[in-house]
Amino acid sequence: MVKIFLHGCCGRMGKAIAALCENNPDYKIVAGGDIIENNNYSFPVYTSLNECTEDFDVIIDFSNATAVPTVLEFAKSRKKPFICCTTALSDQTVADILNASEEIAIFKSANMSVGINLMIELAKQATKILYPDFDIEIVEAHHNRKLDAPSGTAMMIANAIDQEIPDQTEFVYDRHSVNKARSKQEIGISSIRGGNIVGDHDVMFISDEEIVTISHRAQTRDVFAKGALRAASFMCGKERGYFTMSDIIAEYTGE
Ligand SMILES: NC(=O)c1ccc[n+]([C@@H]2O[C@H](COP(=O)([O-])OP(=O)(O)OC[C@H]3O[C@@H](n4cnc5c(N)ncnc54)[C@H](O)[C@@H]3O)[C@@H](O)[C@H]2O)c1
């Protein structure tokens, strides 16, 4: 059984993970953290991480970018693997996380779905074949409560595609402030916010004659929650190093 400290436990993702762990003999949430006080869980919820006395195997974090530096320090002080799922991290926080992976084990992914990570592999393959004859556009859609745009996943896709392009690319976010024709080196990234969309991502490869679209639709938050629990099992017992969903995909493919 993997014992979990769940940070951001009162949020949408925190609740999804808590629900999946109920009556699941493989996982136990032993404590949580949030800025909201909560007495409805069967585990204690700390608003100050220093007060946590429980022992645990891993930390899963789905909270807010501003909270991540504190959670990282908590992980370092307890010498436990840190699974960072929160998005929109500052460059400084990303650098601090990378540095910390020399001290503790870190798992970081802006999208914990196995399907999205497969989609990224397919988009990289398509880019190798279709660039520069096809224009590349990424369109993402999320629920109307999402704070950051574009999504961390859209940026993951854009960065992965960028690695396959030998030219200097330019990311163009929406086009409202760009009064010029599209260049071949451009990767367009557009965001839609509305209703209760869990997370849609399309990568479009567009030529004069045809359009190839690679699509992913998350139908429920459980896809991310299940990925985070999969990562918890993967990270349990690891002492240091930096891991991503690619390491979990590699387990499926045996590479
Ligand atoms: N990696 C992935 O696959 C994935 C999937 C979904 C969401 N996310 C990201 O996870 C994060 C949380 O998403 P959500 O939909 O659950 O959001 P949410 O707003 O529903 O929940 C966030 C929770 O964190 C708490 N929180 C906020 N600031 C805090 C702080 N300073 N200290 C402690 N707790 C704090 C809030 O009170 C809330 O309970 C976001 O960054 C989101 O983009 C990542």
Side-chain angles (χ1 to χ4, degrees), residues 41-88:
Y41 282 127
S42 57
F43 52 83
V45 177
Y46 296 99
T47 51
S48 168
L49 299 183
N50 296 333
E51 289 170 10
C52 172
T53 51
E54 283 75 13
D55 187 30
F56 50 83
D57 299 311
V58 298
I59 300 168
I60 297 178
D61 176 65
F62 279 98
S63 61
N64 184 283
T66 56
V68 171
T70 308
V71 189
L72 182 63
E73 287 309 311
F74 177 57
K76 279 163 48 177
S77 71
R78 300 290 291 259
K79 297 194 179 356
K80 298 293 182 187
F82 177 35
I83 300 164
C84 181
C85 310
T86 296
T87 61

Side-chain angles (χ1 to χ4, degrees), residues 58-196:
V58 298
I59 300 168
I60 297 178
D61 176 65
F62 279 98
S63 61
N64 184 283
T66 56
V68 171
T70 308
V71 189
L72 182 63
E73 287 309 311
F74 177 57
K76 279 163 48 177
S77 71
R78 300 290 291 259
K79 297 194 179 356
K80 298 293 182 187
F82 177 35
I83 300 164
C84 181
C85 310
T86 296
T87 61
L89 306 180
S90 70
D91 291 346
Q92 184 60 55
T93 303
V94 171
D96 290 345
I97 286 176
L98 199 57
N99 284 338
S101 67
E102 291 173 16
E103 231 177 285
I104 56 169
I106 305 268
F107 188 103
K108 187 165 100 56
S109 177
N111 194 305
M112 301 300 289
S113 138
V114 171
I116 268 286
N117 287 276
L118 171 63
M119 178 203 195
I120 290 172
E121 291 305 316
L122 296 174
K124 283 166 71 174
Q125 183 71 13
T127 304
K128 276 185 207 155
I129 298 166
L130 301 178
Y131 181 87
D133 297 331
F134 288 60
D135 297 324
I136 304 173
E137 291 283 325
I138 299 169
V139 183
E140 58 97 349
H142 281 85
H143 53 87
N144 56 21
R145 286 137 353 246
K146 186 166 176 62
L147 300 178
D148 51 317
S151 68
T153 305
M155 294 313 300
M156 266 173 83
I157 297 169
N159 287 322
I161 287 173
D162 186 31
Q163 281 172 17
E164 302 301 326
I165 297 178
D167 303 324
Q168 179 69 45
T169 59
E170 183 191 4
F171 293 174
V172 174
Y173 302 97
D174 303 303
R175 294 201 63 81
H176 62 276
S177 60
V178 184
N179 286 314
K180 61 173 185 177
R182 196 189 193 292
S183 76
K184 278 288 163 199
Q185 290 76 28
E186 181 177 317
I187 298 176
I189 304 169
S190 307
S191 300
I192 294 165
R193 293 288 174 267
N196 204 25

Side-chain angles (χ1 to χ4, degrees), residues 216-235:
H216 180 271
R217 303 275 177 271
Q219 309 217 66
T220 132
R221 277 173 233 302
D222 281 1
V223 73
F224 310 120
K226 283 184 178 172
L229 292 177
R230 180 76 194 77
S233 300
F234 177 80
M235 293 297 281

